[in-house]
Amino acid sequence: MKNRLIVAAIGIPALLAVIFFTPIWGWGIVVAVMASFCAWELLHTAGKHVTPLVYALTMLMAVLTVAYISMDGWWTAVGDRLYFACAYVFVAALFLIAVVTHGKETALPFATVAVCIVGGLLFPAMYSCIALLRNVSPALVLMPFVIAFIGDSFSMLGGMAFGHKKFAPHVSPNKTWAGFLAGPVGS
């Protein structure tokens, strides 16, 4: 509980400052960095035998995806075909690495290729929606965060107040059925 309050005391003012006082292109950079960190985290947790090259390709594709979707004016000058060529080369390179390393001890599994595609293309596309919301109004960016914070708080408080039966003790030892149900209700 204390850690959550510390994060909230520092994180909320920092988030508000970035949302309201960063220029639109700066906000796109912030979202691109967030997407690349999320791609790295996804590969770190769900990927197997991920090499530094695969990390770099996925994080670079995440940044390009956010740039393509959220900073449309920049891509207009460069052309849509360049982005789609980059996406094609990204996916083809992943499959090439998987095929070349197949049968070796450090082979890149095809399941990890799918994780890389999600981390490099799908997640950044979703993060780009946050950047597009900022282009409309900085206040709209707060809505997903506020809904998530309220849902998380309701989940924690509902679990503390009414939770007795564990939901998934191996995944989250303190998660209860009451907290699981209170989160969506709060959101």
Side-chain angles (χ1 to χ4, degrees), residues 117-173:
I117 292 169
V118 168
L121 297 172
L122 183 62
F123 280 0
M126 291 186 293
Y127 276 105
S128 297
C129 293
I130 295 173
L132 292 173
L133 283 175
R134 169 60 169 82
N135 293 347
V136 176
S137 168
L140 287 178
V141 175
L142 292 177
M143 293 304 290
F145 291 106
V146 169
I147 291 169
F149 291 152
I150 291 172
D152 188 42
S153 298
F154 267 71
S155 181
M156 183 185 71
L157 295 173
M160 289 172 48
F162 306 108
H164 301 302
K165 189 172 181 182
K166 299 290 182 187
F167 176 65
H170 298 293
V171 177
S172 180

Side-chain angles (χ1 to χ4, degrees), residues 102-123:
H102 183 71
K104 297 180 181 173
E105 187 176 315
T106 59
L108 183 67
F110 286 103
T112 302
V113 170
V115 169
C116 292
I117 292 169
V118 168
L121 297 172
L122 183 62
F123 280 0

